[in-house]
């Protein structure tokens, strides 16, 4: 072990024993018999990360992270199909306790294929971004601009060059040309 340690919050270097050594890992048994690992990196008593091993095989099915330092685990990475690779990332971007953004790797290639988001905080998905040919570039983006739960406008990259060529107004009341 080094004679010096780094404070993870500030990046300052201090002498060993200042309280910023190895993270504290607490192992708990969940109500369902799963193993839960809570990790306190900065020794403040709050977990900055937690791992969930549902079937106790040593492979985590879910990891939760405190990505903004507020003491709550608002971001989760999930292995949906049990293959050892995290397929989805879910996060609460506004701190209200509800998931606002979900990203999915549907084909397991390590690239996000779909992102859905509640951008206005009403609890309803209003943005849907899709990579339908799995090349790592968005092919379409749909938006519910009037919060009625239905897509109002969709832009599409029809030739796969990374530029959106077409705009389709699914709701005529949101089409600026129809209102002219």
């Amino acid at each position: 072990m080094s004679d010096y340690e780094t404070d993870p919050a500030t990046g300052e270097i201090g002498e060993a024993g200042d309280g910023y050594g190895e993270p504290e890992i607490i192992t708990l048994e969940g109500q369902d018999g799963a193993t839960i690992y809570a990790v306190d990196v900065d020794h403040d008593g709050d977990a900055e990360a937690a791992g969930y091993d549902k079937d106790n095989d040593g492979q985590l099915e879910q990891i939760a992270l405190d990505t903004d330092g507020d003491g709550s685990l608002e971001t989760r990475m999930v292995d949906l199909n049990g293959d050892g690779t995290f397929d989805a990332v879910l996060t609460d971007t506004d701190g209200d306790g509800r998931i606002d953004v979900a990203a999915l790797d549907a084909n397991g290639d390590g690239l996000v294929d779909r992102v859905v988001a509640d951008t206005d905080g009403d609890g309803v998905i209003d943005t849907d971004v899709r990579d339908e040919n799995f090349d790592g570039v968005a092919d379409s983006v749909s938006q519910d601009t009037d919060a009625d739960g239905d897509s109002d406008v969709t832009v599409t990259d029809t030739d796969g060059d990374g530029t959106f060529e077409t705009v389709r107004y699914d709701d005529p009341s949101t089409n600026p040309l129809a209102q002219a």
Side-chain angles (χ1 to χ4, degrees):
M1 179 148 192
S2 170
D3 291 336
Y4 298 96
E5 297 172 349
T6 303
D7 177 344
T10 65
E12 293 178 22
I13 297 175
E15 290 189 34
D18 286 348
Y20 302 108
E22 295 293 318
E24 181 179 3
I25 301 174
I26 300 169
T27 304
L28 308 165
E29 182 177 333
Q31 292 179 343
D32 59 358
T35 301
I36 301 170
Y37 303 94
V39 182
D40 182 2
V41 176
D42 58 7
H43 303 280
D44 66 353
D46 293 328
E48 282 76 42
Y52 177 74
D53 183 0
K54 181 178 183 174
D55 52 11
N56 296 306
D57 64 353
Q59 182 173 296
L60 297 176
E61 284 79 30
Q62 191 171 150
I63 295 175
L65 304 168
D66 178 4
T67 53
D68 62 6
D70 70 351
S72 66
L73 303 173
E74 66 276 332
T75 300
R76 292 184 288 162
M77 297 181 300
V78 183
D79 178 4
L80 297 172
N81 60 7
D83 68 354
T85 303
F86 293 107
D87 311 301
V89 177
L90 313 166
T91 192
D92 172 12
T93 60
D94 60 9
D96 66 357
R98 295 185 313 204
I99 298 298
D100 305 305
V101 179
L104 176 66
D105 175 11
N107 66 347
D109 65 357
L111 299 174
V112 172
D113 307 316
R114 187 172 183 191
V115 176
V116 293
D118 172 15
T119 60
D120 60 9
D122 67 355
V124 178
I125 297 298
D126 50 45
T127 303
D128 187 354
V129 181
R130 296 177 185 227
D131 174 13
E132 295 167 0
N133 60 3
F134 305 111
D135 65 353
V137 179
D139 298 312
S140 68
V141 178
S142 297
Q143 178 82 39
D144 174 9
T145 58
D146 60 6
D148 67 355
D150 297 323
S151 175
D152 298 315
V153 62
T154 301
V155 294
T156 308
D157 175 11
T158 55
D159 61 9
D161 67 354
T163 301
F164 294 109
E165 290 87 24
T166 61
V167 177
R168 183 183 77 233
Y169 292 95
D170 304 312
D171 180 351
S173 69
T174 61
N175 184 342
L177 299 175
Q179 297 171 9

